[in-house]
Amino acid sequence: AAPAGLVRCRDGHVLVIALEKAQWHGLRRAMGDPEWARAELFDDMWERGRNADVIYALLEEWTISRDKEEIMALCQAHGCPATAAYTMADLAHHPHLEGRGALVEVEHAALGRVRTFGPPIRLPACPGGPRVGAPCLGEHGEADFAPRPSGAPAALARPVGDPRSPFRADPEHGRPLAGLRVANFGWGVVGPTAGQLLAFLGAEVYKVESRARPDIQRTIPPFVNGVPDPDRSIQNHAFWAGNRSVTLDLKSDEGRALARELVGRCDVVMENFGLGVMERFGLGYADLAADRPELIYASLSSTGQFGSLAGLRTYGNSLSGLAGLDGITGYADGRLQAMENAYADPLGGVIGALGVLLAIAHREATGLGQHVDYAQL
């Protein structure tokens, strides 16, 4: 399908992805609706794919006179998920990464002030990440590594209140999350992959979707016996394994009421919608946790819940460009080659599931949930 690739611009490259019809129309508006883009056959992403050479050449005529930040802002404003392809130099002091604590500075005994990575998962109730520089060789003696005195409590083993959740692990059956129930509003690859991993560990995971706008994974070939159908996508079945299915129309009052009833019977809520979507449905963290302080709510978005790039529309493919990886992948003559697969999506599901497990560990010790904020970027 097309467009879904790197295009040159005045100061580097942008990754232009406009697969769905509405996204293609957004790209047309961003470009000023040129006559060549109005052809009705281009409303189909596969037809655009068959004419990709022509489309990319015409796109570059528009992008080559503009900067990547300008193109990204224009396209995003019109609903097209085009993104800048950042270099590592662009990212080294990017305000979004600094604002989220993904890049931090710590003091080191020998090196002075050192810039390093902060935690990729934001856990407000139990934040992690480096606070001091790594120790120098020989800095710590044997006493620093001595075992704790017998019976000394672990750092997180100080109960605060009584856990209200009925969840208890079931080690007898080798599935540590047996009894945990998850309402999974995630879509695409990220949410279902996170749900799959939690389900394989024993949790009951209920994937919520709508027949009005089926998950994009249901539309992707190959299909069983080559017959296109929302229930026959092999890729969809692979990523969704372990997720049970619930269909709700969240745009209706009844659908939202049923969603809240489902959440009321769950320990964990997961979502990877665009910024503010769950809040508009009345299903944001503040709405659901007001009388349930034990609720774990995990947002697994592309760029996180806050920061200068929060709310950016992306695909998994976009994130390798945003993260600078496309900028170091390519050829000796300087031509870049976008990474072939959307690695950020399954990886995002794995790390999103880890974020839920960290929050569960904290709740087991304190009885309290929290809003997990994981940015794929």
Side-chain angles (χ1 to χ4, degrees), residues 4 15 17 19 187-191 193 216-217 220 235 239 272 302 314-323 325-326 337-350 374 376-377:
L15 190 67
I17 302 183
L19 300 181
W187 66 287
V189 174
V190 181
T193 300
I216 191 172
Q217 291 298 314
I220 294 177
Q235 172 164 308
F239 282 114
N272 64 308
S302 58
T314 71
Y315 279 89
N317 309 62
S318 316
L319 288 151
S320 58
L322 280 171
L325 297 177
D326 288 350
Q337 174 62 52
M339 298 180 77
E340 179 66 21
N341 216 322
Y343 296 107
D345 280 343
L347 176 64
V350 173
Y374 167 59
Q376 289 177 270
L377 176 61

Side-chain angles (χ1 to χ4, degrees), residues 138-199:
E139 180 179 337
H140 294 148
E142 291 183 13
D144 294 295
F145 297 99
R148 283 198 307 270
S150 178
L156 284 178
R158 297 187 297 275
V160 180
D162 295 322
R164 295 172 57 185
S165 167
F167 163 60
R168 287 292 179 271
D170 182 15
E172 180 182 344
H173 296 95
R175 302 200 330 146
L177 297 187
L180 187 80
R181 191 172 288 150
V182 180
N184 187 2
F185 293 87
W187 66 287
V189 174
V190 181
T193 300
Q196 179 184 98
L197 290 170
L198 297 177

Side-chain angles (χ1 to χ4, degrees), residues 87-110:
T87 65
M88 292 299 177
D90 292 332
L91 292 168
H93 295 276
H94 198 284
H96 181 76
L97 299 179
E98 290 183 331
R100 286 186 57 81
L103 293 173
V104 297
E105 292 190 353
V106 295
E107 290 292 340
H108 189 274

